[in-house]
């Protein structure tokens, strides 16, 4: 049976005032109070204020005589920082907080939300995958995200390079949710700043950590659990055999969500994880209709996509560090986009933001070196 805060035996006091927000923040940011402990304290004491009052005594019983909860000034500073960003604080039991997250034993004690909070009420599907995604993988992510958006789903992802960024960008006119590993105002990776800005206007940014927090390695699994729990289904487009995307998919399974995957070329390491998921029972996906059928839903299409507040930036045609650095960078980007499966040249040109003549010069050199193979019909592949 699924449980939530609303099934706690102790009468639970939902947050309704600024003082309640302050108490929730203080409890959540107190030393040694993780998400699971936070909910245990609420369950035992009925409110964040009562739990804060009990914390020093609990710490003394555990051998920490000098323990004190998070000071009010620290929590007030976080509230002020969030409001300066124009963000909204979502708290368990309060308005806007996603009910799906309350099923987790370690549900986020607080969430900062910037943008369209209404998207949390829409049916949601996660589209995730490799950071070093191939051109075909990014193309597939865009196609799926756009189709799911048109079908009325909010697309959830992690604002990472590759598949995440492609999915967010394609779904943005319809609604996309980016779950961040750090604070709302700390964009990682930095090249996604413009995308994050557009999502803050036309989609939704979500962060569990305070504004100003730099993401660290331990924060990404925490971010991933939110993605897995928010989405009714998690769709993996490309993923290596050992990757964060596969960990997110396993979390989704643990949470009772549907897991789906796009198959890939067996010789492409970026497809190994997806092929493993399908072997182990994940739903094979060819398009949005497969996703909707597997979920047993028929989402009503939205009338019109929202206009993107700003156009997507085009990739630079050449790096500014000099001709040799530009050539080296372009070559590396070209090889990263290609895999064993043949890719149309016009897709590569679009993804790199270069002209046909520049691509032709690079391909000739890489073809001579044995790095690239040409195929009939204007197709390219690695090796």
């Amino acid at each position: 049976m699924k449980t939530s805060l609303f099934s706690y035996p102790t009468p639970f006091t939902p947050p309704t005032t600024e003082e309640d927000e302050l108490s929730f923040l203080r409890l959540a940011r107190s030393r040694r109070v993780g998400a699971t402990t936070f909910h245990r304290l609420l369950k035992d004491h009925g409110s964040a204020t009562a739990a804060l009052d009990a914390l020093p005594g609990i710490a003394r019983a555990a051998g920490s005589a000098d323990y004190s909860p998070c000071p009010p000034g620290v929590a007030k500073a976080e509230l002020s920082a969030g409001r300066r960003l124009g963000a909204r604080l979502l708290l368990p039991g309060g308005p806007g907080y996603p009910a799906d997250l309350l099923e987790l034993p370690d549900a986020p004690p607080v969430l900062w939300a910037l943008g369209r909070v209404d998207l949390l009420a829409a049916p949601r599907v996660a589209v995730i995958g490799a950071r070093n995604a191939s051109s075909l993988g990014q193309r597939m992510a865009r196609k799926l995200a756009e189709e799911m958006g048109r079908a009325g789903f909010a697309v959830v992802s992690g604002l990472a390079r590759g598949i995440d960024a492609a999915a967010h960008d394609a779904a943005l006119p319809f609604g996309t949710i980016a779950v961040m590993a750090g604070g709302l105002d700390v964009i990682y990776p930095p090249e996604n700043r413009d995308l994050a800005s557009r999502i803050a206007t036309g989609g939704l940014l979500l962060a569990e950590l305070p504004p100003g927090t730099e993401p660290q390695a331990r924060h990404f699994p925490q971010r991933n659990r939110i993605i897995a729990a928010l989405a009714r289904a998690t769709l993996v487009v490309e993923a290596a055999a050992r990757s964060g995307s596969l960990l997110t998919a396993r979390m989704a399974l643990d949470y009772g969500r549907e897991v789906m995957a796009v198959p890939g070329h067996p010789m492409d390491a970026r497809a190994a994880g997806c092929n493993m998921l399908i072997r182990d029972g994940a739903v094979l996906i060819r398009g949005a209709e497969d996703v909707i059928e597997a979920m047993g839903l028929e989402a009503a299409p939205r009338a019109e996509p929202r206009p993107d507040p700003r156009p997507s930036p085009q990739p630079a045609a050449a790096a500014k560090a000099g001709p040799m650095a530009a050539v080296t960078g372009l070559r590396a980007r070209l090889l990263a986009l290609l895999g064993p499966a043949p890719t149309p040249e016009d897709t590569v040109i679009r993804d790199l933001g270069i002209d046909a003549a520049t691509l032709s010069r690079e391909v000739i050199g890489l073809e001579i070196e044995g790095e690239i193979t040409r195929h009939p019909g204007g197709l390219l592949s690695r090796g």
Side-chain angles (χ1 to χ4, degrees):
M1 176 186 285
K2 294 178 180 178
T3 60
S4 74
L5 288 178
F6 303 108
S7 64
Y8 285 172
T10 301
F12 172 65
T13 305
T16 56
T17 67
E18 186 168 326
E19 283 303 312
D20 292 335
E21 291 184 344
L22 191 64
S23 295
F24 266 72
L25 265 183
R26 289 185 62 203
L27 184 60
R29 306 308 186 205
S30 292
R31 287 184 300 125
R32 302 174 192 166
V33 177
T36 303
T37 301
F38 174 92
H39 292 292
R40 171 57 60 181
L41 289 167
L42 280 183
K43 181 175 182 179
D44 291 344
H45 300 282
S47 72
T49 301
L52 282 169
D53 292 340
L55 261 182
I58 295 171
R60 279 196 301 272
S64 297
D66 60 347
Y67 182 91
S68 59
C70 172
V74 173
K76 287 179 179 177
E78 181 176 341
L79 279 175
S80 297
R83 286 167 181 166
R84 281 196 300 272
L85 293 173
R88 177 177 166 185
L89 187 64
L90 307 182
L91 302 174
Y97 191 94
D100 290 336
L101 294 185
L102 293 176
E103 299 169 9
L104 306 185
D106 60 346
V110 299
L111 281 173
W112 281 107
L114 181 59
R116 294 179 55 200
V117 178
D118 65 287
L119 290 174
L120 293 172
R124 300 176 296 274
V125 61
V127 179
I128 60 174
R131 289 174 171 82
N132 63 330
S134 69
S135 181
L136 286 177
Q138 293 182 56
R139 184 179 179 184
M140 187 63 174
R142 288 179 176 278
K143 176 178 181 291
L144 287 167
E146 181 179 352
E147 289 176 349
M148 295 306 298
R150 288 187 183 280
F153 290 84
V155 173
V156 183
S157 201
L159 199 63
R161 297 181 179 95
I163 297 300
D164 288 22
H168 283 310
D169 189 63
L172 183 56
F174 309 95
T176 188
I177 302 171
V179 186
M180 304 173 67
L184 283 178
D185 53 345
V186 182
I187 309 304
Y188 182 85
E191 60 262 34
N192 282 348
R193 284 196 186 100
D194 181 81
L195 176 59
S197 176
R198 291 186 289 126
I199 293 173
T201 302
L204 179 66
L205 298 178
L206 277 183
E208 181 177 8
L209 296 175
T213 303
E214 294 283 345
Q216 300 179 24
R218 69 179 186 276
H219 297 150
F220 289 92
Q222 296 174 356
R223 185 267 318 261
N224 293 347
R225 89 188 192 286
I226 298 175
I227 294 173
L230 267 182
R232 303 174 73 168
T234 293
L235 171 56
V236 186
V237 177
E238 280 187 340
R242 295 181 179 180
S243 67
S245 297
L246 254 62
L247 293 176
T248 305
R250 293 190 181 106
M251 289 179 186
L253 283 174
D254 291 342
Y255 299 154
R257 310 301 198 254
E258 192 74 62
V259 173
M260 310 172 184
V262 175
H265 197 289
M267 293 182 66
D268 191 341
R270 290 172 290 201
C274 291
N275 292 340
M276 287 169 54
L277 287 173
I278 294 169
R279 179 200 65 190
D280 295 339
V283 179
L284 187 153
I285 296 301
R286 300 161 298 172
E289 63 279 0
D290 290 339
V291 180
I292 296 170
E293 180 182 351
M295 294 173 71
L297 297 173
E298 290 187 7
R302 298 180 185 171
E304 292 291 339
R306 290 175 175 241
D308 197 336
R310 286 190 293 161
S312 299
Q314 296 299 314
K320 296 180 180 179
M324 186 57 67
V327 171
T328 304
L330 177 58
R331 179 167 296 197
R333 290 166 57 210
L334 172 57
L335 291 173
L337 284 174
L338 296 177
T343 302
E345 287 189 26
D346 58 350
T347 298
V348 177
I349 289 170
R350 185 187 66 245
D351 290 345
L352 291 175
I354 60 176
D355 55 52
T358 302
L359 177 66
S360 179
R361 286 195 297 270
E362 288 302 316
V363 168
I364 289 172
L366 289 168
E367 191 176 14
I368 292 172
E369 295 171 12
E371 294 282 353
I372 284 181
T373 300
R374 286 185 187 269
H375 302 272
L379 302 174
L380 303 172
S381 69
R382 288 288 296 270

